[in-house]
Amino acid sequence: MENFAQVIAALQQGEVIAYPTEAVFGVGCDPDNEQAVMKLLDIKQRPIEKGLILIAADYEQLLPYIDDSQLTDQQRTTIQASWPGPVTWVMPTKPNVPAFLTGQFETIAVRVTDHPLVQQLCREFGKPITSTSANLTGQEPGRTVAEVQTQLGHCLPAILEGETGGRTNPSEIRDAVTGNVFRQG
């Protein structure tokens, strides 16, 4: 539990942390802290235009970022039937969601995780965190604390100790409006 408190403190201080997800380790930060997001993009060597995924403990945590009034009841039902779980949905954003999260898009990718440690992390932090694989762009994502430590340990103040959910593929990414699959799960 000491490590859990350390990870929460790092998030609250605007730091970038790593944590296990359903398939690989992710790196994340406070999505409302622009400096933290810029630090994450710098660590990952990831272009801002690509946008980021938000991972949450429950649907309510996503409501400040998504505009689900643009979805039909059927679309909402389909999304909620896949959560919690390893499906990421690209959804319309509220007008106040900053471009440092959405990149070049007017949508944002979001997921309600079924990983118990990440659910606890988001609950204790009180909101979603950003989620992108724990690796340098172009490298293999870390699947263990040791692999993350090797690639990114020098620039992360805290790595949440735990196991991934055992899935082999990163989350599937689908469009909430059209249902199109952007990345197979």
Side-chain angles (χ1 to χ4, degrees):
M1 276 321 212
E2 282 175 57
N3 177 255
F4 203 87
Q6 176 194 7
V7 169
I8 294 286
L11 281 171
Q12 291 167 335
Q13 292 157 13
E15 295 294 342
V16 177
I17 57 111
Y19 55 92
T21 70
E22 293 87 348
V24 298
F25 267 72
V27 287
C29 64
D30 179 345
D32 300 317
N33 182 329
E34 184 174 3
Q35 284 181 308
V37 172
M38 291 307 174
K39 197 182 300 182
L40 179 142
L41 294 173
D42 189 46
I43 289 168
K44 282 267 306 176
Q45 300 165 12
R46 181 181 172 91
I48 192 170
E49 294 77 24
K50 287 177 99 173
L52 290 165
I53 294 173
L54 296 184
I55 192 169
D58 55 50
Y59 192 72
E60 286 67 38
Q61 285 192 330
L62 297 171
L63 292 176
Y65 305 92
I66 61 173
D67 184 357
D68 75 350
S69 70
Q70 293 188 44
L71 301 175
T72 65
D73 288 343
Q74 180 58 52
Q75 289 164 333
R76 225 176 278 114
T77 300
T78 301
I79 291 162
Q80 293 189 351
S82 73
W83 284 344
V87 179
T88 297
W89 290 92
V90 176
M91 298 174 77
T93 58
K94 291 211 164 128
N96 61 334
V97 174
F100 63 80
L101 288 178
T102 60
Q104 63 189 357
F105 307 102
E106 291 178 13
T107 54
I108 191 159
V110 294
R111 179 165 86 249
V112 175
T113 182
D114 63 0
H115 194 292
L117 276 178
V118 185
Q119 287 177 335
Q120 185 183 352
L121 187 64
C122 292
R123 280 196 189 97
E124 291 203 22
F125 188 50
K127 61 178 159 182
I129 56 175
T130 62
S131 186
T132 181
S133 55
N135 61 302
L136 299 171
T137 299
Q139 301 289 316
E140 275 298 303
R143 292 182 184 268
T144 64
V145 171
E147 288 177 11
V148 175
Q149 195 71 47
T150 301
Q151 261 195 77
L152 299 171
H154 64 283
C155 46
L156 298 175
I159 300 173
L160 183 60
E161 292 163 13
E163 303 288 319
T164 63
R167 289 182 54 86
T168 46
N169 295 332
S171 67
E172 182 165 296
I173 301 178
R174 302 181 74 167
D175 186 303
V177 175
T178 66
N180 290 346
V181 176
F182 294 123
R183 179 174 78 190
Q184 202 66 49

